[in-house]
């Protein structure tokens, strides 16, 4: 029997929504861990967290935390990654970063393993995990692009509040109860924690995720546009996005219009390519009202696709509805899958 | 002082969500009513409803109910309109029908007064009120089309449950409380009352509104596509729609991509034309996080437009976010506005 190589793993942001999911997935997948270090801000240090048959005490993340660490999974916000990821790399760790800090850095691979696993090999210490809404979209687009070409993408998103962290889940629950009690809803977090105004999300829809940029798009929309081109190696692909926060806890859904290069394709052609694709589950049968929803996709690993239709005016145009758990494939699972691919490729 | 002409008005479906809104608007706008008849199914007959300083008893709608009626506002479902609207016309009434029964009938004008008021004059007894999600979209598109031309529309909707009636509001409230109580949610109505399967709408998104058609689109999506072309007199316009039901009570929101004919337009050009348009209120300032939401538009008359952006790849492409109260402009208000236009045009 071959010896299983094991690794020292650190999770930065271990007490957050994504950090907790990463822990669960590392345990479920029996990731080959020798030693696991749980790191957080000073505020959360000292908390104990169960992992397998042990209890691990969370430590404050400081530069020396990374001594001896092989793989550091960062999910504690962009400023923490900017400060500490280079320190982890100096200590010899490979960083897989779940924030937007390094995603568009040309020296940093931005990876969805099903889509561009080979990009991992050119890492220089940091590999970036894409934005949640981008991951599920490229997972569904890539097999179509590879077989039939892709000219254009227009996406409107339906995004869960958990993308804004555990606090946002609490805000949605509290506001929902207030509204059901016929009380005034109090808003102090969404749409964006650091922004000037806050609006209720319960029984509402907020067409703002992350801060507005000078061009009138939000940062979330620009992430989807720019990251999609980088991950699929399609700098000239037309991509447009409108990102909307909605009152559900888990999973992002996306209404995607796409134009392929080939002519004369049918819905069955797209079903075939999506049905064979890694990480995709087709749930698409109008006859039986079969389509994915945020609730049906919650806590699952796959990217679910339904409502595939041919555009009624454009022979090259198709519409589809793509749903995935934003904390699983959209964040924690993809992070762990990058780590697994790193190990497989013996790039550690 | 000129004598104000008054009319005998009947409301069919007076106890429903839209019927109740029609009553409120007729009272608020001091509509010139001589006698008001409230009609319903046998089940709701006998209920009394206050109107101004009177109390009116709801009667069962039968063919003879329409004797002496000048204007009959129908909002009791397609089968009731199919059965009774011709009877009302036989009795000399003009019917304004809020169901889909006659919308695509070439002898029936389909009217949003700001968009195609002049179509009213060719009515033969029945005028149709468009689908809620169509009304707010064409109200925003028409002024743009008139000034700059329009080649293409792709819309993804975010629709309130009240579009499925008062029962759907109750279902959302009940399921929301169940979920907050950590109970299993019971679904017996949505996505579509008469369809085979029902899914929870609370903390979820359902990509089905109305029944699926043979082409894989839902009837709601086909309504948006076909009605838009009819109302704007643009049979060759490319229109695509994805319609999604969401867990909020009031207002539909729409993420709309449009392509104009003219080149070189700016966001300011669209702001100017929308700012001058009848029935439209621009709420669009990223700097101050100003954009409409379902909650902010509730119980208001206007169609609100925000998040106007130029497409980053296509010089003729723009994106915008359009929100309106689906029971007001999307249904009851537009119905009353058609009646007002009828009176103004002396077509009664």
């Amino acid at each position: 029997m071959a010896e299983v190589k094991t690794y020292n793993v650190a999770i930065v942001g271990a007490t957050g929504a994504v950090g907790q999911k990463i822990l669960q997935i590392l345990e479920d997948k029996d990731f080959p861990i020798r030693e696991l270090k749980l790191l957080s801000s000073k505020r959360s240090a000292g908390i104990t967290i169960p992992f397998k048959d042990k209890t691990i005490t969370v430590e404050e993340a400081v530069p020396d935390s990374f001594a001896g660490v092989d793989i550091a999974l960062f999910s504690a916000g962009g400023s923490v990654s900017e400060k500490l990821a280079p320190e982890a790399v100096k200590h010899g760790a490979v960083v897989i970063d779940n924030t937007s800090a390094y995603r568009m850095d040309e020296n940093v691979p931005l990876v969805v393993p099903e889509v561009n696993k080979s990009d991992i090999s050119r890492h220089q210490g940091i590999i970036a995990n894409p934005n949640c809404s981008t991951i599920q979209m490229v997972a569904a687009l890539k097999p179509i692009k590879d077989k039939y070409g892709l000219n254009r993408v227009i996406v409107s998103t339906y995004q869960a509040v958990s993308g804004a962290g555990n606090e946002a889940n609490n805000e949605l629950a509290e506001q929902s109860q207030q509204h059901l009690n016929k009380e005034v809803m109090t808003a102090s977090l969404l749409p964006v924690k650091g922004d000037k105004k806050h609006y209720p999300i319960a029984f509402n829809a907020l067409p703002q995720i992350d801060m507005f940029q000078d061009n009138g798009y939000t940062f979330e929309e620009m992430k989807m546009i720019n990251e999609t081109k980088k991950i699929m190696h399609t700098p000239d692909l037309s991509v447009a996005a409108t990102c909307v926060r909605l009152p559900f806890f888990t999973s992002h859904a996306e209404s995607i219009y796409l134009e392929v290069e080939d002519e004369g394709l049918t819905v069955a052609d797209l079903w075939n390519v999506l049905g064979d694709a890694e990480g995709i589950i087709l749930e698409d049968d109008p006859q039986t009202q079969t389509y994915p929803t945020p609730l049906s996709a919650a806590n699952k690993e796959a990217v679910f696709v339904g409502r595939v239709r041919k555009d009624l005016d454009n022979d090259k145009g198709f519409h589809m509805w793509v749903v995935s758990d934003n904390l699983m494939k959209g964040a924690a699972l993809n992070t762990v899958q990058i780590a697994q691919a790193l190990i497989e490729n013996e790039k550690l």
Side-chain angles (χ1 to χ4, degrees), chain A:
Chain A
M1 200 176 134
E3 194 188 345
V4 176
K5 197 173 167 190
T6 57
Y7 303 86
N8 291 335
V9 175
I11 302 177
V12 185
T15 60
V18 175
Q20 289 289 300
K21 280 277 178 194
I22 289 175
L23 267 169
Q24 178 201 313
I25 294 166
L26 291 175
E27 182 161 342
D28 290 350
K29 295 201 176 295
D30 205 16
F31 194 88
I33 292 173
R34 189 160 60 246
E35 198 190 324
L36 180 63
K37 211 169 220 181
L38 301 184
L39 303 169
S40 75
S41 63
K42 200 170 188 170
R43 192 165 45 87
S44 298
I47 291 175
T48 57
I49 294 179
F51 183 76
K52 293 191 173 175
D53 53 357
K54 292 181 195 160
T55 297
I56 304 178
T57 302
V58 177
E59 299 168 43
E60 183 186 354
V62 294
D64 284 342
S65 303
F66 301 96
V69 168
D70 299 308
I71 305 172
L73 309 176
F74 274 70
S75 191
S79 58
V80 174
S81 292
E82 279 167 21
K83 193 177 147 201
L84 291 179
E87 300 294 334
V89 173
K90 270 189 215 159
H91 280 96
V94 177
V95 168
I96 303 172
D97 183 32
N98 216 342
T99 77
S100 62
Y102 299 98
R103 285 181 192 149
M104 296 311 296
D105 185 324
E106 60 184 20
N107 296 316
V108 173
L110 182 66
V111 177
V112 179
E114 305 90 300
V115 175
N116 63 333
K117 191 187 281 190
S118 63
D119 284 353
I120 290 175
S121 61
R122 59 176 191 80
H123 83 78
Q124 298 175 26
I126 302 177
I127 300 163
N129 194 61
N131 183 49
C132 43
S133 48
T134 309
I135 291 175
Q136 66 185 68
M137 182 165 83
V138 298
L141 290 177
K142 178 60 165 29
I144 298 171
K145 171 193 152 303
D146 284 353
K147 187 142 187 191
Y148 299 120
L150 189 62
N151 290 323
R152 179 171 213 182
V153 177
I154 299 173
V155 58
S156 295
T157 71
Y158 301 70
Q159 295 185 231
V161 296
S162 56
N166 286 330
E167 289 172 286
N169 285 342
N170 295 339
E171 183 163 270
L172 171 58
E174 285 168 19
Q175 289 174 352
S176 299
Q177 192 61 66
Q178 286 170 332
H179 194 78
L180 292 170
N181 294 349
K182 303 193 192 304
E183 297 162 10
V184 174
M185 293 190 275
T186 49
S188 58
L189 181 68
L190 291 171
V192 182
K193 192 175 184 177
D195 213 343
K196 294 178 289 288
K197 290 186 192 166
H198 302 289
Y199 304 109
I201 183 65
F203 306 111
N204 203 12
L206 300 178
Q208 181 193 358
I209 300 183
D210 218 322
M211 307 288 276
F212 279 103
Q213 311 294 290
D214 289 341
N215 65 359
Y217 287 75
T218 61
F219 189 41
E220 183 83 357
E221 289 160 355
M222 293 312 301
K223 285 183 236 172
M224 289 195 79
I225 292 167
N226 293 325
E227 294 179 18
T228 296
K229 297 178 189 187
K230 177 170 177 175
I231 298 164
M232 297 208 296
H233 304 164
T234 52
D236 298 326
L237 180 67
S238 289
V239 184
T242 299
C243 291
V244 182
R245 187 76 75 190
L246 289 164
F248 39 85
F249 295 100
T250 309
S251 305
H252 294 341
E254 299 175 343
S255 168
I256 299 174
Y257 170 73
L258 62 120
E259 279 174 20
V260 295
E261 279 174 12
D262 291 2
E263 292 179 357
L265 297 183
T266 64
V267 167
D269 292 323
L270 262 67
W271 276 341
N272 284 337
V273 70
L274 288 164
D276 290 342
E278 196 186 336
I280 302 285
I281 293 179
L282 254 185
E283 292 187 339
D284 192 3
D285 180 12
Q287 288 290 315
T288 58
Q289 296 173 264
T290 300
Y291 38 70
T293 70
L295 280 180
S296 73
N299 299 312
K300 296 191 181 144
E301 296 198 352
V303 172
F304 298 88
V305 181
R307 305 259 12 241
V308 180
R309 288 156 291 153
K310 186 154 179 166
D311 193 81
L312 299 177
D313 297 299
N314 181 346
D315 180 53
K316 297 180 174 185
F318 287 88
H319 304 267
M320 62 183 183
W321 171 252
V322 176
V323 188
S324 190
D325 186 320
N326 56 308
L327 298 182
M328 292 287 289
K329 184 60 188 171
L333 177 64
N334 198 68
T335 298
V336 175
Q337 287 171 330
I338 292 172
Q340 289 174 318
L342 251 180
I343 293 173
E344 276 166 34
N345 293 356
E346 301 181 283
K347 287 293 166 193
L348 263 186

